[in-house]
Amino acid sequence: MRNVLFIVSGPSGAGKGTLVKALMQGRRDLWLSVSLTTRAPRRGEKHGEAYYFVTKEEFEQRIARGEFLEYNNHFENYYGTLLSDVMRELQTRSVILEIEPMGGFQAAEKIRAMGKYPVVLIMITPPSLHALEERINHRGKESAEQMRERRERVAFELAQADRYDYSVLNDDLDTAIGELRAIIDKEINKE
Ligand code: 5GP
């Protein structure tokens, strides 16, 4: 048994939230990290569940105090993972961060540098990405410029995927949950 830091990322619309929620059912050996964000809560979101909602001032004070394992500023808001939470939980169980790739790489680098806990990067890909590739390769109806843009976006996604240990295609939800579970269990049970 190992305590592993799992970092789950993927383009928006890939359904990672749903997958991770399903994965967490009945798992006391896994802890899902709760991030801090400066974005406003959406309808039904409670403080301390999906996020801790904080002000920009508080977030920036915490950055200055070095409290984050990783953070990023995207969609005009800060999002970050507290180092103390992750280190506390890793002492007793595996931890899951559901965060975007840039923050994920920061976190992976820091934890790997400590040399104490293994890090596993998992990318969740939406079926639309594959459909997009198909379209680019097999159809010629778009302008050269449009095709170039699409290719660049796919290339970017794939370049990120290269840096991941696993990728799970979220086409059929049950299949994807099964795959994710198998990856997590295999990694936790490695010698
Ligand atoms: P949303 O605002 O839709 O909840 O999340 C927007 C993006 O922020 C998603 O890609 C989500 O994975 C990412 N995110 C959530 N928490 C964190 C975090 O702590 N750090 C980073 N870097 N990204 C996060």
Side-chain angles (χ1 to χ4, degrees), residues 16 35 39 42 51 70 74 79-81 98-100 103:
K16 45 192 160 87
S35 299
R39 85 151 161 73
R42 296 192 188 117
Y51 290 105
E70 63 74 36
H74 49 260
Y79 293 80
T81 308
E98 190 215 310
I99 64 178
E100 51 72 47

Side-chain angles (χ1 to χ4, degrees), residues 97-163:
L97 308 184
E98 190 215 310
I99 64 178
E100 51 72 47
M102 293 308 138
F105 299 141
Q106 277 180 55
E109 203 174 306
K110 266 200 204 164
I111 297 293
R112 280 178 178 149
M114 288 177 199
K116 201 164 173 202
Y117 300 104
V119 177
V120 173
L121 290 156
I122 304 171
M123 170 162 278
I124 310 294
T125 57
S128 58
L129 179 64
H130 294 249
L132 192 58
E133 282 180 75
E134 289 284 318
R135 271 218 306 275
I136 289 171
N137 292 334
H138 300 296
R139 287 186 195 169
K141 284 183 186 159
E142 289 179 314
S143 74
E145 177 64 16
Q146 278 173 322
M147 278 176 61
R148 191 183 61 79
E149 265 184 46
R150 281 185 192 277
R151 263 205 200 94
E152 273 177 12
R153 219 181 308 155
V154 173
F156 178 76
E157 301 281 0
L158 294 180
Q160 305 304 310
D162 257 15
R163 299 172 67 178

Side-chain angles (χ1 to χ4, degrees), residues 6 11 17 29 79 85-86 95-96 110 114 120 184:
F6 292 101
D29 59 336
Y79 293 80
D85 282 2
V86 171
V95 168
I96 300 193
K110 266 200 204 164
M114 288 177 199
V120 173
I184 303 262

Side-chain angles (χ1 to χ4, degrees), residues 43-69:
R43 187 186 289 264
E45 280 184 335
K46 293 203 186 84
H47 186 74
E49 280 182 14
Y51 290 105
Y52 294 108
F53 298 96
V54 300
T55 61
K56 189 166 174 258
E57 290 68 36
E58 178 178 344
F59 203 103
E60 287 177 346
Q61 279 167 10
R62 287 176 181 270
I63 295 174
R65 291 201 292 259
E67 292 183 19
F68 290 104
L69 167 62

